[in-house]
Amino acid sequence: MIAPHAEWPYQGKPVHVVSSTLDPAADPRVTVHRTLDEAVAALDAAGYARVYLDGGATVRQLLARGRVQTLTLSRVPVLIGEGFSLFGPLPADVPLEHVSTEVLGGGMVQTTYRVRESSRPATT
């Protein structure tokens, strides 16, 4: 999705992608992992404490594992007639604590929440 951009938006930042179809050698700026477990192990081994996650299924799986501490939701002012659930089913409710809300250009709204510590299951 980001490969066609003329200017690389992640200059100086490591990019890890979970994909069963991308060629790992297609772009030297991107590290491709075949499974989420593989990606998590690589990020843990590299010592990363904070990472940017994208993709509802990925976020859902890591929420369920207790690996998400902060969640930023961006809402665009468009109602979709028949959409998908933001993350899909979770094994339990995830209590959140509001941190901040910011109104951006075009009516977009970004809200940041902290995942309450008591709701995080033990990490795996």
Side-chain angles (χ1 to χ4, degrees):
M1 184 173 209
I2 58 175
H5 288 250
E7 190 173 317
W8 184 246
Y10 304 108
Q11 194 65 39
K13 295 180 179 147
V15 175
H16 291 254
V17 174
V18 177
S19 173
S20 60
T21 59
L22 286 178
D23 177 3
D27 190 327
R29 301 169 296 187
V30 175
T31 302
V32 177
H33 303 281
R34 292 297 176 214
T35 68
L36 184 57
D37 288 336
E38 182 184 308
V40 168
L43 295 170
D44 284 346
Y48 295 119
R50 285 181 60 94
V51 300
Y52 168 80
L53 299 172
D54 205 343
T58 301
V59 174
R60 176 178 43 85
Q61 290 175 55
L62 292 174
L63 269 170
R65 295 179 189 191
R67 299 297 300 247
V68 176
Q69 289 80 41
T70 305
L71 197 60
T72 300
L73 303 176
S74 301
R75 292 175 309 282
V76 178
V78 175
L79 295 177
I80 300 173
E82 289 188 36
F84 294 100
S85 170
L86 186 58
F87 299 116
L90 289 164
D93 290 349
V94 179
L96 304 173
E97 177 183 336
H98 179 259
V99 174
S100 64
T101 299
E102 182 179 0
V103 178
L104 305 172
M108 184 171 152
V109 177
Q110 257 185 358
T111 302
T112 299
Y113 297 95
R114 187 172 299 111
V115 176
R116 290 195 179 155
E117 192 75 31
S118 63
S119 71
R120 290 190 221 146
T123 58
T124 56

